[in-house]
């Protein structure tokens, strides 16, 4: 097996537990991986504001590492804070996204520097997205008017059956223009065309001079599939979706049982395993 030089970690359901916290064991083993020269990438659908607290816990601003936010729409080098990648959705698309979401009784949302911005601050899925990111919901009267600059990502949240209609309609309108996909059955993500964890991770690895077979990725969600397919070594958590597990080379412990630490121990530190 090739030496791993880059470790890409999904956050929710992978690196963090049900409280959205990083266990001390995972933190220790990530540090051990860094000491062996492995680059750490926090690869999430979260906005930057939702990833920064995790980067703080892991002290990536001091030890080095990368934030891959919005499923790859924005990539930040922690040591310098500079954007390596940032792609946004054209402003004129906002109207159609909001209108279609409302037509299907779903809720469009985006983000600013303070939290989730949405017209509904009580919907369970809006609150779930805020909880996932450990950020507040900021209620606005009209999302379309509130969006005064192009955004890296929009989401539409709601009941799965309703979101299927939103997905089909938006895909027909923006085919070839926007990337529209589910990260959860109740979370529909909308990003610039070509944005996904895999493409951003590949670009970052190439910039760092790291080969594809030297990349290890850990994930659990539907939006992790492309990243797992790209990685030389694909690891799914035991709690991952069945479909996601089909794309993994190895199934680790669950996110509640330090699955990331176990995978690092086995494939980077070459230890005995923690499960």
């Amino acid at each position: 097996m090739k030496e791993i030089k880059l470790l890409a970690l999904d956050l929710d359901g992978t690196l963090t537990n049900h409280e959205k916290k990083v266990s001390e064991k995972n933190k220790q083993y990530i540090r051990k991986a860094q000491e062996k020269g492995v680059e750490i990438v926090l690869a999430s659908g979260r906005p930057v504001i939702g990833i920064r607290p995790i980067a703080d816990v892991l002290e990536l601003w001091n030890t080095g590492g990368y934030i891959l936010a919005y499923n790859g729409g924005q990539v930040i080098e922690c040591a310098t804070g500079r954007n390596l990648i940032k792609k946004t959705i054209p402003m004129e698309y906002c109207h159609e996204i909001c209108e279609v979401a409302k037509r299907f009784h779903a809720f469009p949302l985006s983000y600013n520097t303070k939290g989730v911005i949405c017209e509904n601050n009580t919907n369970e899925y809006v609150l779930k997205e805020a909880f996932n990111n450990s950020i507040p919901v900021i209620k606005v009267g009209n999302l379309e008017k509130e969006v005064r600059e192009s955004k890296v990502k929009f989401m539409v949240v709601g009941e799965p059956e309703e979101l299927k209609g939103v997905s089909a309609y938006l895909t027909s309108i923006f085919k070839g223009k926007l990337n529209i996909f589910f990260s959860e059955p109740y979370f529909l993500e909308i990003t610039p065309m070509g944005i996904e964890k895999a493409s951003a991770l590949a670009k970052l690895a190439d910039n760092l001079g790291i080969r594809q077979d030297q990349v290890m990725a850990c994930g659990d969600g539907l939006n992790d599939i492309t990243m797992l397919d790209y990685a030389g070594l694909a690891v799914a958590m035991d709690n991952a979706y069945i479909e996601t597990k089909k794309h993994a080379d190895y199934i680790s412990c669950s996110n509640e049982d330090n699955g990331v630490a176990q995978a690092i121990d086995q494939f980077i530190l070459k230890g005995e395993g923690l499960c």
Side-chain angles (χ1 to χ4, degrees):
M1 182 181 294
K2 299 293 184 180
E3 181 182 6
I4 301 301
K5 293 189 176 181
L6 187 154
L7 174 59
L9 300 170
D10 170 58
L11 300 187
D12 302 300
T14 301
L15 178 59
T16 64
N17 59 23
H18 69 283
E19 295 180 329
K20 303 300 176 184
K21 295 181 179 179
V22 180
S23 72
E24 191 59 35
K25 181 71 71 175
N26 279 345
K27 180 180 177 180
Q28 290 172 0
Y29 275 73
I30 288 171
R31 179 61 59 83
K32 289 180 181 180
Q34 287 180 299
E35 290 171 353
K36 287 182 67 70
V38 176
E39 299 283 0
I40 302 299
V41 181
L42 301 182
S44 175
R46 291 188 185 194
V48 175
I49 188 177
I51 302 178
R52 284 187 180 276
I54 305 298
D56 290 343
V57 168
L58 298 176
E59 301 178 4
L60 296 188
W61 311 108
N62 298 319
T63 62
Y66 300 85
I67 287 176
L68 189 156
Y70 301 109
N71 287 308
Q74 187 171 359
V75 177
I76 297 174
E77 182 180 48
C78 293
T80 62
R82 69 189 180 100
N83 286 316
L84 302 182
I85 297 172
K86 187 174 182 181
K87 296 186 177 181
T88 58
I89 297 171
M91 283 281 288
E92 59 267 26
Y93 294 174
C94 178
H95 173 74
E96 203 70 54
I97 291 170
C98 291
E99 286 301 306
V100 171
K102 293 173 185 177
R103 193 178 307 165
F104 285 88
H105 308 291
F107 303 94
L109 61 83
S110 194
Y111 315 85
N112 61 18
T113 58
K114 296 181 180 179
V116 174
I117 51 174
C118 185
E119 294 173 19
N120 187 308
N121 63 348
T122 60
N123 175 264
E124 63 174 308
Y125 300 118
V126 173
L127 295 174
K128 189 174 183 66
E129 171 63 4
F131 172 74
N132 284 347
N133 292 282
S134 301
I135 56 179
V137 179
I138 301 167
K139 184 176 181 180
V140 296
N142 185 298
L143 181 63
E144 186 178 349
K145 291 182 179 179
E146 187 67 25
V147 175
R148 300 186 181 93
E149 60 181 9
S150 56
K151 297 292 184 181
V152 181
K153 186 178 86 168
F154 282 90
M155 280 183 69
V156 179
V157 304
E159 297 300 328
E161 284 304 313
E162 294 170 342
L163 288 190
K164 289 178 183 178
V166 177
S167 176
Y169 203 101
L170 289 179
T171 298
S172 69
I173 296 172
F174 295 115
K175 186 175 182 179
K177 298 178 180 180
L178 293 177
N179 194 26
I180 300 166
F181 60 95
F182 287 95
S183 56
E184 300 285 355
Y186 42 80
F187 285 164
L188 183 65
E189 309 218 6
I190 304 166
T191 64
M193 194 64 192
I195 292 301
E196 57 183 3
K197 290 185 180 183
S199 59
L201 189 60
K203 192 170 295 184
L204 176 60
D206 187 58
N207 288 343
L208 295 172
I210 295 173
R211 300 193 309 271
Q212 184 175 355
D213 64 353
Q214 296 173 318
V215 175
M216 173 175 160
C218 296
D220 76 297
L222 300 176
N223 62 329
D224 294 320
I225 289 176
T226 62
M227 179 172 74
L228 295 179
D229 285 343
Y230 164 76
L233 178 61
V235 178
M237 300 298 103
D238 189 55
N239 55 283
Y241 282 100
I242 293 175
E243 182 60 30
T244 303
K245 288 182 178 179
K246 293 177 182 178
H247 296 260
D249 300 307
Y250 177 78
I251 306 300
S252 187
C253 305
S254 75
N255 65 316
E256 300 295 335
D257 295 316
N258 304 304
V260 166
Q262 192 274 331
I264 291 173
D265 186 57
Q266 181 157 346
F267 297 109
I268 295 177
L269 305 179
K270 309 296 178 23
E272 295 298 322
L274 300 176
C275 289

